[in-house]
């Protein structure tokens, strides 16, 4: 039993639970946004489990592929793979099993939904992690597209098709991803440098990166606002979203005008809170 | 600089959630200008709670804090005037626009004493309206007794303003004491405003 608990603890670290949880929340919000009858608990359960499995699988496969990078960075060198507490073969098998189970369950639930889930996995693992992450800082665009897939998949399952609102929601995530990742790559600039990963701050400088963050935050806020207006969200929730968006833009602009490590970290934290709050508003509004 | 403690975080989160409730649900039914004003007031309260929670007390060093903390009483008082004394709305709207511009201008471009005096006058007028208008409305039978909580919130926000001015200059209270008081004060202020409006 103790061995099982230890394994579970190590595997839990491999799936980056907070990031997986946030992406899962976007998928659930996408599904609920279609105003589908959420009392179909079997569908909701299937969506939650299949998304959780495929996102977890994708994250474990990223960890497996990037274990050499993780070993060179102080922030990540204590993760299970570089620390040697989980073997690469074990991680690869776990990642493949989780991903196959997730995509398989998704396809069984609905072919379109399954296809989008598979696309997310493909973009994240193959295009972003294996192909582009070590070659160009623009890999972030593909990371963003992969990040937008759970919400696209959720809405496709709820609405039965990919409509323009799905595209707006996915775009909102795509534009939000740079705020999330670039603030992080500025905070751990030296780590990424020593690992040889090309990042925006390393290639274009910090100030250009801050400008990109501000513009992408603005684009994310506009896309999510437009999507939620189009969905017909209650006026009160839209007011709340406007306030939260103003906060995001205020911190992004402050980071551009008066840059500091604290503001950068604050923007990273606030951006996560902003996305989670927006998704919760979508869910609450649909109930 | 003092670090945020667990109770501080709890109080700030509580203030943020109460303000979020008020923005989303609690101010439905008002006309356009009061609605916009109350959204601004509770929105700034929400962001104040969240930003303190995320960035810690160091954010109090920023000059933007003074400007943002002025937006709360100005917008709340404008909302009250628009909702209950509409005849005075145009004149007060002009006062709010000019007053806010004066606070921003003096804070950024004039000596400290001029900025402090401007802030004292503008904040004072708005604070007096928030404090006493609810009691006048209760006395004239236009609001229930519980609306006095909005007046109490007005008094509390005045104390908050005083603490922030102490924070910026010399005072009998240490920075540590002010930082220890602020999260609780922000929570009580927000709770008083929200409860007052809900029971209105």
């Amino acid at each position: 039993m103790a061995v099982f608990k230890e394994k579970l603890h190590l595997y839990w670290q491999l799936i980056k639970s907070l990031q997986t949880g946030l992406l899962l929340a976007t998928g659930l919000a996408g599904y609920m946004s279609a105003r589908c009858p959420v009392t179909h608990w079997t569908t909701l359960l299937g969506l939650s489990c299949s998304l959780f499995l495929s996102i977890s699988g994708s994250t474990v496969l990223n960890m497996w592929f990037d274990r050499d990078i993780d070993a060179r960075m102080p922030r990540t060198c204590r993760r299970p793979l570089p620390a040697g507490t989980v073997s690469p073969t074990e991680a690869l098998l776990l990642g493949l099993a989780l991903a196959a189970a997730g995509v398989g369950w998704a396809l069984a639930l609905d072919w379109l939904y399954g296809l989008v889930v598979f696309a997310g996995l493909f973009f994240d693992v193959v295009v972003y992690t294996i192909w582009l992450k070590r070659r160009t800082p623009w890999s972030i665009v593909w990371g963003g597209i992969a990040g937008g897939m759970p919400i696209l998949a959720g809405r496709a399952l709820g609405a039965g098709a990919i409509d323009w609102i799905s595209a707006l929601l996915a775009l909102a995530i795509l534009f939000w991803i740079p705020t999330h990742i670039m603030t992080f790559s500025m905070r751990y600039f030296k780590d990424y440098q020593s690992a040889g990963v090309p990042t925006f701050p390393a290639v274009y400088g910090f100030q250009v990166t801050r400008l990109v963050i501000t513009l992408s935050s603005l684009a994310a806020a506009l896309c999510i606002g437009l999507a939620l207006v189009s969905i017909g969200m209650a006026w009160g929730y839209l007011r709340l979203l406007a306030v939260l968006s103003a906060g995001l833009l205020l911190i992004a602009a402050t980071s551009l005008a008066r840059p500091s490590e604290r503001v950068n970290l604050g923007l990273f934290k606030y951006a996560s809170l902003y996305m989670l709050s927006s998704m919760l508003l979508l869910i609450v509004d649909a109930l | 600089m003092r670090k945020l403690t667990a109770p501080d975080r709890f109080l700030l989160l509580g203030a943020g959630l109460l303000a979020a409730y008020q923005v989303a649900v609690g101010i439905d039914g008002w006309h356009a200008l009061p609605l916009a004003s109350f959204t601004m007031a509770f929105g700034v309260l929400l962001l104040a709670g969240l930003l303190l929670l995320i960035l810690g007390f160091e954010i109090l060093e920023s000059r933007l804090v003074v400007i943002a903390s002025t937006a709360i009483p100005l917008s709340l008082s404008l909302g009250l005037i628009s909702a209950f004394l509409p005849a005075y709305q145009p004149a007060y709207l002009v006062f709010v626009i000019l007053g806010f511009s004066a606070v921003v201008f003096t804070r950024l471009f004039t000596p400290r004493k001029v900025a402090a005096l401007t802030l004292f006058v503008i904040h004072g007028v708005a604070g007096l309206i928030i404090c006493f208008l609810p009691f006048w409305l209760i006395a004239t039978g236009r609001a229930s007794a519980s609306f006095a909580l909005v007046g109490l919130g007005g008094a509390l926000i005045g104390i908050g303003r005083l603490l922030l001015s102490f924070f910026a200059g010399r005072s009998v209270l240490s920075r540590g004491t002010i930082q220890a008081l602020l999260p609780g004060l922000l929570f009580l202020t927000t709770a008083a405003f929200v409860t007052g409006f809900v029971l209105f």
Side-chain angles (χ1 to χ4, degrees):
Chain A
M1 194 62 187
V3 176
F4 177 73
K5 272 188 177 175
E6 176 63 21
K7 280 283 174 202
L8 205 63
H9 177 67
L10 289 171
Y11 290 169
W12 191 250
Q13 290 178 50
L14 282 178
I15 68 165
K16 293 188 188 170
S17 52
L18 286 178
Q19 183 182 292
T20 298
L22 187 56
L23 286 170
L24 182 59
T26 66
L28 285 170
Y31 175 70
M32 306 282 266
S33 75
R35 298 288 200 278
C36 46
V38 289
T39 42
H40 285 176
W41 293 111
T42 47
T43 312
L44 198 60
L45 187 70
L47 168 90
S48 307
C49 294
S50 58
L51 264 185
F52 176 77
L53 288 170
S54 43
I55 295 167
S56 302
S58 165
T59 310
V60 175
L61 290 173
N62 288 344
M63 287 261 204
W64 167 76
F65 190 78
D66 282 342
R67 62 191 184 281
D68 57 329
I69 294 178
D70 285 348
R72 291 202 290 270
M73 299 202 288
R75 180 177 67 84
T76 52
C77 66
R78 283 186 297 278
R79 283 177 176 172
L81 275 162
T85 46
V86 172
S87 75
T89 311
E90 188 182 354
L92 177 62
L93 289 175
L94 175 70
L96 288 173
L98 288 172
V103 173
W105 195 337
L107 282 167
L109 210 56
D110 180 84
W111 72 268
L112 179 61
Y113 166 68
L115 204 64
V116 180
V117 170
F118 174 75
L121 185 81
F122 181 79
F123 286 139
D124 191 42
V125 178
V126 179
V127 179
Y128 172 65
T129 305
I130 297 176
W131 182 25
L132 295 173
K133 187 175 174 181
R134 296 167 193 234
R135 294 166 200 257
T136 166
W138 290 96
S139 61
I140 198 172
V141 174
W142 291 97
I145 291 172
M149 289 297 138
I151 200 165
L152 193 69
R155 189 163 167 92
L157 182 64
I162 294 176
D163 55 5
W164 66 278
I165 292 177
S166 322
L168 267 179
L169 288 170
L171 268 178
I173 307 283
L174 168 64
F175 285 123
W176 169 83
I177 292 276
T179 310
H180 182 72
I181 291 183
M182 287 182 187
T183 46
F184 212 62
S185 58
M186 284 200 288
R187 179 169 167 80
Y188 294 103
F189 180 74
K190 285 180 185 164
D191 276 18
Y192 284 107
Q193 284 284 84
S194 63
V197 178
T199 60
F200 248 76
V203 177
Y204 299 103
F206 275 62
Q207 200 56 8
V208 171
T209 306
R210 288 189 194 102
L211 180 64
V212 172
I213 288 173
T214 307
L215 293 175
S216 80
S217 299
L218 178 65
L222 286 174
C223 283
I224 206 155
L226 193 56
L228 300 196
V229 168
S230 308
I231 286 167
M233 180 177 262
W235 179 220
Y237 294 147
L238 286 176
R239 282 198 303 267
L240 186 53
L241 180 77
V243 168
L244 292 170
S245 300
L248 180 72
L249 298 179
L250 180 75
I251 308 179
T254 305
S255 167
L256 185 64
R258 303 173 78 92
S260 74
E261 177 56 35
R262 177 161 283 269
V263 174
N264 184 54
L265 180 62
L267 180 56
F268 172 78
K269 289 180 181 173
Y270 187 91
S272 300
L273 186 68
Y274 173 75
M275 188 46 68
L276 183 64
S277 308
S278 306
M279 295 303 117
L280 287 177
L281 281 177
L282 249 176
I283 291 171
V284 170
D285 185 60
L287 289 176
Chain B
M1 189 65 71
R2 182 176 174 272
K3 297 273 181 207
L4 285 171
T5 62
D8 288 342
R9 290 178 191 281
F10 182 76
L11 289 166
L12 291 171
L13 185 65
L17 287 174
L18 281 172
Y21 166 82
Q22 191 67 2
V23 170
V25 183
I27 50 177
D28 275 337
W30 296 99
H31 291 298
L33 188 59
L35 187 67
S37 305
F38 293 144
T39 300
M40 166 77 96
F42 288 104
V44 176
L45 275 170
L46 164 61
L47 292 180
L50 289 181
L51 293 183
L52 266 171
L53 199 59
I54 287 171
L55 296 170
F57 288 116
E58 280 174 46
I59 195 180
L60 298 177
E61 306 277 2
S62 168
R63 280 186 295 185
L64 285 177
V65 170
V66 174
I67 294 168
S69 68
T70 308
I72 299 170
L74 277 179
S75 51
L76 195 60
S77 58
L78 177 62
L80 290 171
I81 293 282
S82 307
F84 299 108
L85 299 171
Y88 295 93
Q89 179 189 295
Y92 194 69
L93 181 60
V94 171
F95 170 79
V96 165
I97 293 169
L98 291 180
F100 189 71
S101 307
V103 168
V104 174
F105 181 80
T106 54
R107 189 60 43 177
L108 297 178
F109 302 111
T110 66
R112 198 178 178 128
K113 280 188 178 175
V114 178
L117 184 66
T118 309
L119 187 68
F120 175 76
V121 172
I122 305 297
H123 212 284
V125 171
L128 286 173
I129 289 171
I130 302 170
C131 264
F132 294 111
L133 185 59
F135 291 102
W136 181 76
L137 291 171
I138 294 165
T140 54
R142 295 174 65 191
S144 67
S146 52
F147 205 55
L149 284 168
V150 174
L152 175 68
L156 290 173
I157 210 167
I159 296 172
R161 171 68 254 142
L162 204 63
L163 288 180
L164 283 177
S165 64
F166 284 166
F167 194 82
R170 283 174 296 176
S171 81
V172 287
L173 293 175
S174 70
R175 285 191 159 204
T177 310
I178 294 169
Q179 287 163 352
L181 290 172
L182 270 179
L185 194 63
L186 189 68
F187 177 79
L188 284 177
T189 305
T190 312
F193 283 144
V194 172
T195 315
F197 272 94
V198 167
L199 300 176
F200 168 73

